[in-house]
Amino acid sequence: MIIHKNSRRSSLLLLSGATLMLAAATPGAAAGAPGTSLSPAGHRFSAVAAGPVVFEAGPIVVTCATSSSLPGTGSRNTIPDGPAAANPAGPVAVRIAPPTFKDCTTDAPGLRVAVETNETAGPWQVQLQYGTPGTARLSIPSGGFVLKTSGLLACTATAAPNGPAVAEGRWRQEDGSAVLLERAPIPVKLEGSFFCATSVTSATITAEYTVRNTTDPARPITVGPSLPG
């Protein structure tokens, strides 16, 4: 990956890129979408980035070395039981733990980056839709992802600043279950000093999250068609 060494203004742009990763609103089913079912019902899963998560805003790049959403208390990262595991008219939504982002860096010397996520305004979700290819939407509540820089510049980038937003991605199953985001756009808001590039309102994210069954590792998490009752 080519890292661009730009001015202080560009370093701020990076921030906006980083925000986009947190995607997501809860979109409804597209017209004519096939039904969807998830399995194994009741099993828990982890979603761990297979490599760096990259945020871009124009020519600027922010990279987080690690990211994950892991099962904890409650129903987060759990395939629903019973009827909730299937939707005859569209995607199935699953609540997930807010993902963590660690070891994030920019191409700007002397600039440190930290990312915080939260559920203050609502739950994080992943929505999975059966199809060829299958789709995956990572959704985040309003203000659920906040990136801050310190050092030479103090700026704050917030994803989904005006309400829930969605990052459109793809579900891969043939080579191991995964959610793929390829330069998925997300709205952002930049705040801070004059050099914080507050005119930037969107960024993109690229990531591959490997999805593994933590209840029974021998059984993959799968997305299939919703079959009649």
Side-chain angles (χ1 to χ4, degrees):
M1 176 179 68
I2 297 175
I3 301 296
H4 306 268
K5 296 187 182 285
N6 293 324
S7 66
R8 287 190 289 178
R9 174 180 174 83
S10 35
S11 67
L12 276 274
L13 293 176
L14 323 194
L15 322 189
S16 71
T19 320
L20 86 8
M21 157 65 206
L22 309 286
T26 308
T36 301
S37 65
L38 307 185
S39 64
H43 285 218
R44 312 192 83 185
F45 63 88
S46 63
V48 178
V53 176
V54 179
F55 305 101
E56 298 179 75
I60 310 311
V61 178
V62 171
T63 300
C64 293
T66 63
S67 178
S68 63
S69 174
L70 306 176
T73 59
S75 61
R76 296 173 184 82
N77 294 62
T78 303
I79 301 299
D81 279 314
N87 179 2
V92 175
V94 180
R95 183 174 182 175
I96 63 173
T100 60
F101 298 87
K102 297 181 179 179
D103 301 322
C104 299
T105 59
T106 75
D107 61 347
L111 193 64
R112 297 181 295 276
V113 181
V115 175
E116 297 178 356
T117 57
N118 67 77
E119 298 177 292
T120 303
W124 286 69
Q125 291 185 326
V126 60
Q127 297 188 9
L128 301 174
Q129 169 70 61
Y130 173 73
T132 308
T135 61
R137 297 178 175 96
L138 177 63
S139 68
I140 183 180
S142 179
F145 173 95
V146 180
L147 180 147
K148 296 182 178 181
T149 63
S150 59
L152 293 178
L153 292 171
C155 302
T156 299
T158 303
N162 300 315
V166 64
E168 297 282 349
R170 182 167 62 88
W171 173 258
R172 187 193 68 201
Q173 198 158 279
E174 60 276 10
D175 297 317
S177 300
V179 171
L180 307 177
L181 300 170
E182 300 176 11
R183 304 196 71 205
I186 193 74
V188 298
K189 180 178 182 180
L190 242 43
E191 299 173 288
S193 66
F194 175 78
F195 292 104
C196 285
T198 56
S199 61
V200 173
T201 58
S202 66
T204 64
I205 176 179
T206 298
E208 176 181 331
Y209 282 87
T210 300
V211 178
R212 290 191 172 94
N213 187 333
T214 60
T215 300
D216 182 356
R219 299 182 66 185
I221 300 298
T222 61
V223 179
S226 177
L227 302 176

